[in-house]
Amino acid sequence: MEKLIDKQRVVQHMNGRLLRNNVLKFLFFLATVFGLIVLVILLYRILTQAIGWLNLDFLNNFPSRRPENAGIKAGLVGSLWLMVIVAPVSLILGVGTAIYLEEYAKKNRFTDFIQTNISNLAGVPSIVFGLLGLTLFVRELNLGRSILAAGLTMSLLVLPVIVVAAQEAIRAVPNQLREASYGMGATKWQTIYRIVLPAAIPGILTGSILALSRAIGETAPLVVLGIPTFLAYLPRGILDTFTVMPMQIYNWTSRPQADFQNVAAAGIVVLLVVLIFMNSIAIFIRNKFQKRY
């Protein structure tokens, strides 16, 4: 005997479910609006403070004890020098580790142990990496407070993030592409180099650029290494002393003069422009490869 459907009860259930759906939708919308409002207020505050101080002289001048003469040239060039070390070291080691773990390593307890520790390292506070860099690179290897020591330290900081991002990108490549390559007689490395990596490049670049953006904006590890906040010359090599934009901004915000707060706001705008430029390059390359695969 078929059960009769109570239409009124069905309508009540549907109305309750629709009400819960609308309430949750409204809460999610409020969360999004709240985040956007905070971001707009922050950008407005920074831009209004930086408008009168952001000019070509600010980009070409070195730090000064007088706010009207202060510039971010040393920090900007130093940040670019830092990326010269961090980008190749972290990308080569990170992507290489991901390829080995995903394509070559056998799945056993040892690889699970490595994978767990890599994931844990991604959540370690950055100051811990600064202590490691101070002990290993600055003191043991006698690299001093150089670009090379700081670059290697920051590479260790972002390396776990790049490894995890590259693993996820490689794992997302369909197995059918690998099998088709093997069916054509390609070797393991040829399949990885010509099939897997090109298909995984969008995901690898996304995670890598986000990691490098974190590296260029970090301050705590560099403070531990003793990187100076005031430097009136440019480095000429990777073994020279240097400073970076976050360190200069930190120095300006700690000054008692009110005008230095505006100088710090101008430095923040320059740092944001550099980060946006880096992310724009990543988006361009990612979209270019997504058209092919």
Side-chain angles (χ1 to χ4, degrees):
M1 198 173 168
E2 297 182 359
K3 294 182 179 181
L4 297 177
I5 299 176
D6 190 345
K7 294 183 178 180
Q8 184 176 2
R9 189 174 181 180
V10 171
V11 171
Q12 291 177 350
H13 278 289
M14 288 299 298
N15 289 336
R17 293 170 63 184
L18 290 174
L19 178 62
R20 287 193 296 271
N21 177 73
N22 291 331
V23 170
L24 291 174
K25 179 181 178 181
F26 180 71
L27 291 176
F28 297 149
F29 175 75
L30 284 181
T32 304
V33 171
F34 177 77
L36 290 176
I37 290 175
V38 173
L39 179 61
V40 169
I41 293 174
L42 179 61
L43 290 176
Y44 174 78
R45 176 68 184 275
I46 293 173
L47 291 175
T48 52
Q49 286 185 295
I51 284 178
W53 300 82
L54 193 60
N55 48 45
L56 291 178
D57 290 335
F58 178 74
L59 297 178
N60 291 323
N61 289 348
F62 289 101
S64 173
R65 291 181 175 86
R66 298 179 179 179
E68 61 272 12
N69 297 328
I72 202 170
K73 182 177 182 179
L76 179 60
V77 175
S79 296
L80 296 178
W81 268 105
L82 186 66
M83 287 298 103
V84 169
I85 302 297
V86 175
V89 171
S90 59
L91 285 175
I92 292 173
L93 293 179
V95 177
T97 302
I99 291 174
Y100 174 76
L101 291 175
E102 290 298 321
E103 299 293 334
Y104 290 102
K106 296 181 180 179
K107 304 302 178 182
N108 50 40
R109 292 183 179 180
F110 180 69
T111 54
D112 291 341
F113 175 77
I114 295 176
Q115 185 66 54
T116 301
N117 281 275
I118 290 174
S119 300
N120 291 335
L121 285 174
V124 172
S126 59
I127 195 170
V128 176
F129 290 96
L131 293 172
L132 175 62
L134 177 65
T135 303
L136 180 60
F137 301 124
V138 176
R139 295 179 178 173
E140 294 296 329
L141 298 181
N142 292 322
L143 295 178
R145 296 170 177 83
S146 62
I147 296 173
L148 182 59
L152 294 176
T153 302
M154 302 305 287
S155 297
L156 293 179
L157 172 66
V158 302
L159 188 59
V161 179
I162 294 178
V163 172
V164 173
Q167 280 188 277
E168 293 296 332
I170 293 173
R171 201 175 296 153
V173 177
N175 285 328
Q176 291 85 343
L177 295 178
R178 296 180 177 87
E179 294 171 357
S181 179
Y182 295 144
M184 295 295 293
T187 62
K188 183 80 171 179
W189 171 243
Q190 287 176 328
T191 300
I192 294 172
Y193 178 71
R194 297 185 178 182
I195 303 298
V196 176
L197 283 181
I201 276 181
I204 293 174
L205 283 179
T206 301
S208 299
I209 294 297
L210 290 176
L212 294 177
S213 299
R214 178 190 177 187
I216 202 174
E218 276 287 350
T219 307
L222 301 179
V223 171
V224 176
L225 294 180
I227 302 303
T229 58
F230 188 95
L231 204 65
Y233 59 87
L234 298 179
R236 297 182 178 179
I238 60 175
L239 297 179
D240 291 344
T241 306
F242 76 113
T243 189
V244 293
M245 288 186 287
M247 294 293 293
Q248 281 201 276
I249 294 170
Y250 169 77
N251 180 42
W252 287 330
T253 55
S254 63
R255 294 294 185 92
Q257 297 97 320
D259 286 341
F260 271 114
Q261 307 302 316
N262 299 329
V263 177
I268 292 172
V269 172
V270 175
L271 181 59
L272 287 175
V273 170
V274 173
L275 293 175
I276 292 172
F277 178 72
M278 291 175 61
N279 284 276
S280 300
I281 294 176
I283 293 172
F284 172 77
I285 299 176
R286 182 182 62 189
N287 292 338
K288 180 179 179 180
F289 279 94
Q290 280 180 339
K291 294 177 181 180
R292 295 176 53 190
Y293 295 93

